[in-house]
Every structure is written in structure tokens, then in C-alpha cells.
Amino acid sequence: MHGTPKGLVFALYYPIIAAIGVPANLAVIVIFCRGRCGLSRCITYYLVSMAVTDLLVIITAVILNRIVGIYFPFSFLSITPVCSLSFVLIYWIRDCSVWVTVVFTFDRFVAICCYKLKTKYCTEKTAAAVIGTVCGVSCFKNTFWYFIYEPLYTIMNITWFCKIKLIFYTSPAWAAFDWIHRISTPCLPFILILLLNALTVSHISMAIRTRRRLQICSNVGNQRDPEAESRRKSIVLLFCISGSLILLWLLFLITFLYVRIAKVSYFSGSNFSESNFILEESGFMLQLLSSCINPFIYAGTQRKFRDELRNGLKYQLNLIANPFKYCKS
């Protein structure tokens, strides 16, 4: 596989994603857990959970699945039962990552648009309960993926690799499961994110226009409005996080629609056409890239996050330059 240009792209792409995504998400977890970015504990719970799930996506889907599969194809992880379990973990953590973004979007919608509900819903306890519920439901739903795969090869009574069973494409029950799975992730999250963002932006825009009219009536039209600036920053952060998720998952959704409408199979083993393989694998590549994007969004939109990141990098550089100084202190 490495000898082809296509194989070379994969062999380079996934290690780069891992090299960027792992330290970036670890930095996000450390910075937000320190609580010095001026964010409420409720928001911090959601942002940290998004970083944790993104990190786990990179570990399970990128490192243990893609990188190990490319460079160590006959490792312990390629035995069929282990391979099937790894797919369950990948789908579970991936769904958690998407739905945590959805519940974060809903939390910001409540905080900005529903003042009466805000005091009861936007709390640490509620955030922890919602995140736990989302992860629990995702775990139950994706357990069924374990029974979809069968061995690709049997060598010396050991089953190797995973391929999707033929009945998955012919059985109405499995077809219904596939539709439910794709609708729940990513179709429904797309719809909810777009709807919540539209309502949030509409509310913020109306509030900003009202404040401007009040400022004009009070003859303070040219003064700086910290509240309006804060609301604009909220819009930018929401749009960047949810917009990147939708854009990077779009090809994955198109692949599913193509498979079900055109009645072709997903890529498995050596039984694939070039166009099907490129379409599906490109969707996976973009989808996995979404697990590396959020740290750069925080760095671009949050000043205090940039300051904490800069201080952390300075500390690491100083530690490397003067290790004995810090050991004494």
C-alpha cells in the first residue's frame, strides 16, 4: 500500500494528524482545567469534555486504527474480535465528540436566549449530567457495531481483520440501524446546531439593535459597548466550533447517502472500486481532522486562552534551557 501515491498520502496524513492533535488537545485540557480563562465552570465542563473526546478520537481512530493498520498490519489489534471492539470504541467516542458539541451549543443558546431557564440549566451539575447521559446513550447505540463485522482472512485458525457482513446491506433490520445511526450522527446534530445557532444569532442581533437604540436615545452612541462585544465573541466562537464540525463531516454524510441510494457497499478489504474507496476514505480523513480544529479556534478567538498558551510555552522553553533552576525552585 505504501508504494502507491494514495498509500503514501495516508501514511503521512495520519501521523501528522496525531502529532498535531494529541498535544493540542492536551494543552486545551490543561489550560481550561486551570480555570484562568475567565470562563464559568459550566462552560469549562463542556470545553474540556470536547477536548477529551477529540483526544480519544485521535488515540482510537487515528493512532490505534489508522496508523497501526498502515505500519503494523498484522498486530494484535488486527485480530477480528479486537478489531470489531475497536470499531465500537471508535464509533462511540466519535458520537460523544459530536453530541457534546451539540449540548454545548444548546447550553449557550439557553444562556443567551432563555434568562429564566439559565439559572437552573447552566450549572456544573447539569453539565456533568448532560455529558454523562450523552456518552451513555452513545455507548449503548454503538454496541451493535460489534456484530456487523466478520473476518476477512483466517490464517492458522486465527481470524484477521474486519469486513462488513453481506447481510448488513440486504437485511431491513440492519438497514434501519444504519439509517438510525447516520441520522443520529451526523444528520440530527447538523439540524440542531444550525437551528440553535440561527435562534441564538437572531436573539443576539435583536439585543444589539435594542442597545444601540437606547445608546442613541441617551446620546452615548459612540461609546464602547462591552456587552455587545461579548455577544459578538460568543457568536464567533459558536460559529467556528459548529461550522467546522459541519463542514468537515459533510463528505462523510454524502458517502452514506451514496452507499444507500446507489446500493453499493462500503470499502472493505480488497473488494473495492477506486472511486468508492477515495470517496469514503476522504470523508474519514476530513472527519478525523475535525478532532484537531477546536484548539486552533480557541487560540484564534480567546485572548486569555492565548495568554495561557503563551505562558505555558515560555515555561517549557525555560525549563529546557535552564532545567537546574526549576529543579531547585
Side-chain angles (χ1 to χ4, degrees):
M1 183 176 177
H2 295 135
T4 65
K6 176 180 60 183
L8 182 61
V9 169
F10 299 148
L12 294 176
Y13 178 81
Y14 293 116
I16 291 173
I17 290 293
I20 295 174
V22 170
N25 283 295
L26 282 174
V28 169
I29 294 170
V30 171
I31 290 173
F32 283 139
C33 285
R34 287 166 62 88
R36 297 181 181 180
C37 293
L39 301 172
S40 68
R41 295 290 296 174
C42 176
I43 297 176
T44 300
Y45 271 37
Y46 286 111
L47 296 182
V48 170
S49 63
M50 282 193 286
V52 170
T53 52
D54 283 344
L55 177 62
L56 291 175
V57 167
I58 294 172
I59 293 174
T60 56
V62 177
I63 298 177
L64 297 181
N65 183 269
R66 288 298 195 265
I67 294 178
V68 171
I70 291 173
Y71 290 97
F72 310 100
F74 283 91
S75 68
F76 170 76
L77 295 175
S78 298
I79 299 175
T80 301
V82 180
C83 175
S84 300
L85 181 61
S86 70
F87 277 117
V88 172
L89 292 175
I90 290 169
Y91 290 132
W92 169 40
I93 296 169
R94 187 196 63 187
D95 281 13
C96 290
S97 177
V98 174
W99 276 99
V100 168
T101 304
V102 174
V103 295
F104 168 69
T105 305
F106 181 74
D107 177 85
R108 291 300 83 205
F109 165 75
V110 171
I112 294 172
C113 304
C114 307
Y115 293 109
K116 293 182 179 179
L117 184 60
K118 176 181 176 181
T119 54
K120 294 182 179 180
Y121 184 83
C122 300
T123 63
E124 298 175 43
K125 186 176 180 180
T126 302
V130 170
I131 295 168
T133 301
V134 164
C135 293
V137 172
S138 297
C139 179
F140 172 76
K141 186 194 75 169
N142 288 289
T143 302
F144 296 97
W145 282 102
Y146 184 84
F147 306 101
I148 290 174
Y149 297 98
E150 63 182 1
L152 184 61
Y153 305 112
T154 300
I155 303 175
M156 298 179 65
N157 294 324
I158 299 176
T159 55
W160 291 94
F161 305 109
C162 293
K163 71 174 181 177
I164 297 176
K165 296 176 181 178
L166 183 61
I167 194 174
F168 181 75
Y169 302 101
T170 58
S171 168
W174 281 122
F177 170 78
D178 198 24
W179 275 103
I180 292 171
H181 177 73
R182 307 299 176 176
I183 289 173
S184 64
T185 307
C187 296
L188 185 57
F190 282 11
I191 296 170
L192 291 175
I193 286 172
L194 290 173
L195 177 62
L196 292 170
N197 281 347
L199 294 173
T200 303
V201 170
S202 176
H203 181 87
I204 290 176
S205 300
M206 187 180 300
I208 290 175
R209 286 195 297 268
T210 302
R211 291 178 65 86
R212 283 178 177 173
R213 285 196 296 268
L214 292 174
Q215 287 179 340
I216 292 173
C217 293
S218 304
N219 295 320
V220 291
N222 294 326
Q223 288 189 5
R224 181 173 171 269
D225 188 352
E227 180 67 20
E229 292 181 4
S230 176
R231 290 173 181 270
R232 290 192 189 96
K233 289 180 180 179
S234 297
I235 292 178
V236 171
L237 181 61
L238 275 174
F239 266 59
C240 289
I241 292 176
S242 55
S244 65
L245 177 72
I246 291 174
L247 288 175
L248 294 175
W249 273 74
L250 190 58
L251 186 58
F252 179 83
L253 177 60
I254 292 173
T255 302
F256 160 71
L257 295 175
Y258 171 69
V259 167
R260 283 301 171 184
I261 294 173
K263 299 186 183 303
V264 297
S265 63
Y266 291 109
F267 164 72
S268 61
S270 58
N271 181 26
F272 63 90
S273 67
E274 190 73 16
S275 58
N276 288 356
F277 175 79
I278 292 175
L279 178 64
E280 184 180 2
E281 194 64 24
S282 298
F284 281 128
M285 291 169 74
L286 291 176
Q287 172 204 312
L288 295 174
L289 179 62
S290 67
S291 299
C292 305
I293 295 298
N294 283 354
F296 298 96
I297 292 174
Y298 303 144
T301 60
Q302 302 293 309
R303 181 183 58 80
K304 290 184 178 180
F305 180 88
R306 289 195 298 272
D307 293 340
E308 286 295 307
L309 182 61
R310 190 180 301 112
N311 293 335
L313 291 174
K314 286 181 180 179
Y315 175 80
Q316 295 295 329
L317 292 174
N318 290 332
L319 184 62
I320 294 173
N322 301 296
F324 298 106
K325 175 183 175 181
Y326 286 89
C327 287
K328 291 180 181 178
S329 62

